[in-house]
Amino acid sequence: MKRPAGHDADVMITDAETEALIRLARDRRAQTIAIGSGRTPRALESARLIEAVWERTGGTILTMITWPEIGASWLRHASRFADADPDLWVMTGAATGWAQMTRRLLWSTPWRPERTLATAAIGDPRTLALVGLINLNGLAGTTAHGTTWRVEDDTFHYPARTQEGP
């Protein structure tokens, strides 16, 4: 799948990306997840696809929330997302809304990046820089091709793993 140019592009999750995301969650022994997404059509469709595959593989969705790309405050959305207290949080969406939501999560909730997986739409170093790598240690995610990335020691590591394994 060809990705649009620009780090705030609205992109749809790929099958390889979805499979890798589910594998990452299972590798972390997750049974429950909370899914958060931006409100663009592609972000919403990506969230629904993750939901369907997660449930089809026997997982439980505790909550699905959306956040705006532009708003006065993301506190209500962040509180609902964090209050679910899943094994893992899963996030997808365009850069601007994700960054605003993530800043609010960091400032106002017990959410932790090390308990969070993100899609390729978020896993661009320019997108992660909007929040700051120093604030995102432990965040991991997948690329459109099914490889994985992670933030560790304030550094973006890509790819962390291929579909074939380490």
Side-chain angles (χ1 to χ4, degrees), residues 41-118:
R42 289 184 177 160
L44 291 170
E45 184 60 29
S46 293
R48 284 190 290 271
L49 181 59
I50 294 165
E51 174 190 31
V53 174
W54 184 252
E55 288 180 334
R56 189 170 53 245
T57 62
T60 301
I61 308 290
L62 296 181
T63 192
M64 286 187 64
I65 67 108
T66 63
W67 57 76
E69 295 306 305
I70 299 170
S73 170
W74 283 259
L75 181 58
R76 181 173 47 90
H77 312 290
S79 295
R80 284 184 44 230
F81 192 52
D83 287 349
D85 196 26
D87 295 330
L88 287 174
W89 287 284
V90 177
M91 302 175 87
T92 190
T96 305
W98 173 81
Q100 296 290 14
M101 174 68 167
T102 301
R103 286 186 200 116
R104 180 51 72 184
L105 285 163
L106 287 164
W107 296 334
S108 306
T109 74
W111 173 85
R112 303 298 313 144
E114 64 271 11
R115 287 179 48 202
T116 306
L117 300 178

Side-chain angles (χ1 to χ4, degrees), residues 22-47:
I22 300 303
R23 190 171 44 254
L24 271 177
R26 292 299 183 197
D27 287 351
R28 292 180 178 206
R29 302 188 190 286
Q31 296 298 315
T32 63
I33 63 172
I35 301 172
S37 78
R39 293 181 180 161
T40 63
R42 289 184 177 160
L44 291 170
E45 184 60 29
S46 293

Side-chain angles (χ1 to χ4, degrees), residues 112-114 132-139 151-155:
R112 303 298 313 144
E114 64 271 11
L133 292 177
I134 194 168
N135 299 308
L136 298 172
N137 281 312
L139 179 69
V151 177
E152 186 176 288
D153 298 324
D154 309 335
T155 305

Side-chain angles (χ1 to χ4, degrees), residues 1 3 12-18 119-121 142-147:
M1 163 183 263
R3 297 277 185 180
M12 180 66 190
I13 195 169
T14 66
D15 290 341
E17 186 178 350
T18 305
T119 63
T142 58
T143 69
H145 302 290
T147 57

